[in-house]
Structure formats: structure tokens, C-alpha cells
Amino acid sequence: MDPAAARREGARILEEIEEESLEQLINHFRTSTLSNTTPTHPHSLNPSIPFPPLADLIARHHQVSQTFPPPLLSLSGRYLPFLYHLVSTLIAEPYHYTITIVDADHRFDVTRLLFDPSASTAPPNAARPNPYPATKNDLKHIYVYRPARSANQSQIQTSLAAAREFMLYAPHASRTRAWWGSVVVGDTGGFGPAVDGRGERLVADVVASWKGWLHIQREEVPGFGVGMSVEEALGQRERRAEMVRNRGWEARAREGTYAWGHRQTEDM
């Protein structure tokens, strides 16, 4: 092929190649790299989540935000009821995990992990399972560490290190159970790359603070309809009061909502 023809053929081939800017190439590399490390499927979460809708929500959040656990969950709002629901399920049958809690808030109450019949208008059943299935025997496998009140980040890290050392190497009563992970209640400002004495990174699997991406709140009760009279509103007062008493909880994120604990009654 003569030089002129070779140049024309080369120009034609270059025109067929899709041009990409350096920024596009970097974004493509970042996306392909993240797809190998970010949990994009509920079954790939580590540690595992026992509620499929919540596991799906967590996986979608990390995929969309391109974040890398741990922490797997970062909570905000009224997070204690959610933690009682999650921890009670994890330590109960059929999972039988053991869990460590670093309670910097000094508000985590292990008795709330048990189902309270007096707080419910209807007992759990197959259609509406118990949101707090742990038994008194299961409570022996919760290990709560409470640093000093208003603990700083260093004190929380020290408690995490102590919890890890104890769970992995001490002859404790939960050696027959798998250690699910650690929960920090009342994080004071994010976890840096702190490491323990063995050089392993210290990060909790669940962090509850004021700025988490999963916001916990009560289920909302719909307001009165537009144009409703005072008499009609008064007539619905008892029914609305019952709706407020029986409402459950919601964990809200940009990617969706996970709900639990709603107490259904016959006339609702």
C-alpha cells in the first residue's frame, strides 16, 4: 500500500474509534474497580443482614454512592428501636450470633431486645413475625462496652479494640457462636484509619450517630383529607388515635424505605 493510501486508511480507522476524554476514562476505571469491591447484591453483604428488604436497600445504597463498608450501616434519627430490632433478630434463632456493642450514649438497654406483650395490641404470628425474637438466654451473648460519658473518638476506638481482642482471643461463653460484628451507639465523628495492636483496621459494622445515611423515624399517619369538616374529624378521632398507637417504624434512605413493627388490628 502506498503512503498516501495508508494515511487515508489510518484516518478512516481513527474516525471509527469512539473518542473518550481523560475524565471519561477515569470514570470508567473507577466504576469497573468499584463493581469488584462494592456490595451490589444483598447476598454479598458482610456481615449478613437477616431482613431481605433491608439487605437489598443497603446493597443499593453502597452501589449508588460507591462506598466501601465498613461501616455497613450508618444510622441517624431515632436509631435505638432499629438497633433493638436488628440485634434481637441476630442473636436469636435461627442465626444465634454474638455481638459487641460500644455504647457511647449510655442509652442502649438490653432488656428492650425482648418482646414485650404489654406494648402490643396483638401477638406475633406467621403473617406478622415478632420484631424482637430474642430470649433471655440469648442476652448472654451480647457484650456491651461503655466508655466514659461524652467519650471522644480515641476512647471509642479503645473500646472497639478491647471488644475485638476479647471476642477473638478470650475464653468467653460465646465461643460456640459466630461473632457477627460490632455496633457503635453514639459515634462522635467518623472513623478514621485507626488500627489495633495487631495492625488491623478498627471500624464498627454499624454506626449510630446524628448524620447517618439511614434515618430512623416513626411511620407517618396520613393527615385529614382536604375539605373535611370538624364533625367528620371528630368522628375519626378514635380511629386515628389507634393508628398512632399501632404505627411501626421506618428506616429511610434515598434508595428506599425499610419498615417494621407495625401492629395490625382488625378494623384497620
Side-chain angles (χ1 to χ4, degrees), residues 61-241:
H61 169 80
H62 287 294
Q63 182 180 19
V64 170
S65 62
Q66 297 186 350
T67 50
F68 307 90
L72 187 66
L73 271 171
S74 180
L75 310 176
S76 61
R78 300 174 65 179
Y79 47 71
L80 283 175
F82 175 86
L83 290 175
Y84 296 142
H85 171 49
L86 175 64
V87 173
S88 180
T89 302
L90 288 170
I91 63 175
E93 187 181 1
Y95 304 103
H96 291 301
Y97 284 110
T98 181
I99 299 177
T100 51
I101 310 288
V102 176
D103 182 18
D105 272 356
H106 287 230
R107 293 193 299 133
F108 189 87
D109 181 1
V110 294
T111 65
R112 296 288 301 277
L113 300 173
L114 304 176
F115 177 68
D116 182 6
S118 65
S120 177
T121 58
N125 53 47
R128 189 176 39 78
N130 183 0
Y132 309 104
T135 66
K136 289 183 179 180
N137 185 63
D138 292 321
L139 298 188
K140 295 186 295 185
H141 302 284
I142 295 288
Y143 296 87
V144 180
Y145 290 74
R146 289 193 172 95
R149 291 186 181 276
S150 303
N152 58 33
Q153 197 61 40
S154 176
Q155 291 170 312
I156 292 176
Q157 293 284 356
T158 298
S159 296
L160 275 175
R164 180 184 181 87
E165 187 77 12
F166 177 79
M167 295 305 299
L168 293 181
Y169 305 107
H172 54 76
S174 301
R175 299 293 294 182
T176 58
R177 292 191 173 204
W179 180 34
W180 185 83
S182 296
V183 176
V184 169
V185 185
D187 175 28
T188 58
F191 286 91
V195 295
D196 63 10
R198 301 173 187 273
E200 298 182 7
R201 190 164 178 255
L202 291 172
V203 183
D205 299 289
V206 178
V207 174
S209 66
W210 57 273
K211 59 179 181 178
W213 60 265
L214 191 64
H215 185 79
I216 313 302
Q217 63 185 47
R218 275 289 196 181
E219 284 183 325
E220 297 179 356
V221 175
F224 290 108
V226 177
M228 179 178 292
S229 67
V230 174
E231 290 78 11
E232 290 174 321
L234 289 173
Q236 292 189 14
R237 182 172 56 183
E238 289 301 322
R239 181 175 182 275
R240 290 182 58 80

Side-chain angles (χ1 to χ4, degrees), residues 26-38 66 68:
I26 292 174
N27 287 337
H28 176 74
F29 175 76
R30 182 183 296 118
T31 302
S32 61
T33 302
L34 286 169
S35 64
N36 293 328
T37 55
T38 302
Q66 297 186 350
F68 307 90

